[in-house]
Amino acid sequence: DTGVSQNPRHKITKRGQNVTFRCDPISEHNRLYWYRQTLGQGPEFLTYFQNEAQLEKSRLLSDRFSAERPKGSFSTLEIQRTEQGDSAMYLCASSSPSGLAVSYEQYFGPGTRLTVT
Amino acid sequence: AQSVTQLDSHVSVSEGTPVLLRCNYSSSYSPSLFWYVQHPNKGLQLLLKYTSAATLVKGINGFEAEFKKSETSFHLTKPSAHMSDAAEYFCVVRPSGYSTLTFGKGTMLLVSP
C-alpha cells in the first residue's frame, strides 16, 4: 500500500503530557498537510509544508503545537502540555502538482485519534 | 474568505432510491470544489472534484455533482443508493491559488434495506 500512513493510530495521554504524531506521505509528494477533526465537525486546516518549508499555519495552531518536515519526506506534529480540548482526530494529507493542470488533489491518511484524559 | 454549508447533517434513504446531498459554498476567488467520503475507521477518500472545466462532474461509485455558480451550489447525487454508500460525506472548497481546503461539517448518509 503506497498511501499516506500515520502513526500511532490511537494515543491516550494524560493532561499536561507531550505527544508526537508521525505522518509518511505518498512517495515523492512535495506537499504535506495537517488537519484536525473534532467530533461532529469537518476537518480543519492546521498547517502545510512544501518540501521542508512550512508555508502556512492556521490560527488554530497554538504555541503548544509544532510541526516539522526535516528532510521533505515524513512529518511530525508535536503537542506540548496537552489539554482536554486537544482531543481530536489528527489527519495528514499529501499532494503533488500534476503537470499543467495543477489540482493539488489531497490524499488523506487514516488519522491519529488523540484522547486527553 | 471561504466557507461551506452542508444543508443536512443527516440524510436517510432506502437502498435503490436516489441520493441528494446538498452543499452551498462561499468563496472570494474562483474555487475548486470537492466531495470526500469518510467511512468509519477509514481515511477520507476523494469522490469527485470540480476545477473549472465541465460543470457536471462524475466521480467514483456512480456519484456525480453539478457546479452551479449562480446558485453557489455543488450538490452531490447518485441515482440509486447502495448499502455500502452509508458513510459521512464532506463538501470541500479550495479557492483558486490557495492550497488549503475548507471542509463543511459533513452529512451522514444512512441507507436502509
Side-chain angles (χ1 to χ4, degrees):
Chain A
D1 188 341
T2 57
V4 178
S5 62
Q6 293 186 246
N7 289 287
R9 294 290 305 276
H10 303 273
K11 178 70 177 179
I12 300 174
T13 191
K14 292 185 177 180
R15 188 178 57 183
Q17 298 294 305
N18 300 343
V19 294
T20 300
F21 310 139
R22 175 177 170 129
C23 171
D24 288 89
I26 293 172
S27 179
E28 297 178 359
H29 273 189
N30 65 349
R31 292 198 173 203
L32 186 148
Y33 309 79
W34 285 100
Y35 292 82
R36 181 173 68 187
Q37 184 178 17
T38 54
L39 201 61
Q41 302 293 320
E44 296 172 295
F45 168 74
L46 292 178
T47 187
Y48 91 91
F49 294 82
Q50 179 164 306
N51 300 314
E52 65 276 8
Q54 189 173 17
L55 296 187
E56 187 174 345
K57 293 195 293 186
S58 162
R59 292 173 300 168
L60 293 175
L61 210 66
S62 76
D63 292 343
R64 297 184 296 106
F65 287 68
S66 62
E68 295 182 340
R69 195 183 183 197
K71 297 183 179 179
S73 56
F74 73 91
S75 175
T76 58
L77 177 67
E78 181 183 17
I79 309 174
Q80 296 182 327
R81 305 181 303 282
T82 52
E83 302 173 356
Q84 287 188 323
D86 297 331
S87 295
M89 177 76 84
Y90 290 84
L91 297 168
C92 177
S94 68
S95 72
S96 177
S98 176
L100 295 176
V102 180
S103 66
Y104 293 114
E105 178 177 320
Q106 295 186 21
Y107 296 83
F108 283 81
T112 295
R113 182 170 296 284
L114 173 66
T115 302
V116 182
T117 63
Chain B
Q2 62 277 351
S3 65
V4 177
T5 302
Q6 293 186 240
L7 298 167
D8 305 292
S9 60
H10 292 81
V11 169
S12 295
V13 300
S14 299
E15 191 174 21
T17 63
V19 176
L20 170 63
L21 305 183
R22 299 181 294 165
C23 171
N24 287 108
Y25 70 92
S26 171
S27 178
S28 303
Y29 305 95
S30 299
S32 295
L33 293 160
F34 308 82
W35 277 96
Y36 279 83
V37 61
Q38 188 174 39
H39 290 274
N41 300 315
K42 292 192 175 181
L44 287 157
Q45 181 184 18
L46 180 67
L47 275 179
L48 49 78
K49 61 184 178 184
Y50 165 78
T51 55
S52 74
T55 56
L56 183 62
V57 181
K58 294 187 182 300
I60 62 172
N61 300 334
F63 284 94
E64 62 181 38
E66 186 171 8
F67 173 71
K68 292 187 176 180
K69 187 175 181 179
S70 61
E71 299 177 9
T72 60
S73 69
F74 191 57
H75 300 335
L76 181 70
T77 60
K78 183 174 180 178
S80 176
H82 192 273
M83 294 296 290
S84 61
D85 294 329
E88 189 156 26
Y89 292 78
F90 293 96
C91 182
V92 183
V93 64
R94 181 180 67 80
S96 176
Y98 288 77
S99 294
T100 61
L101 303 178
T102 298
F103 284 74
K105 291 187 176 182
T107 298
M108 184 67 71
L109 176 65
L110 306 170
V111 182
S112 57

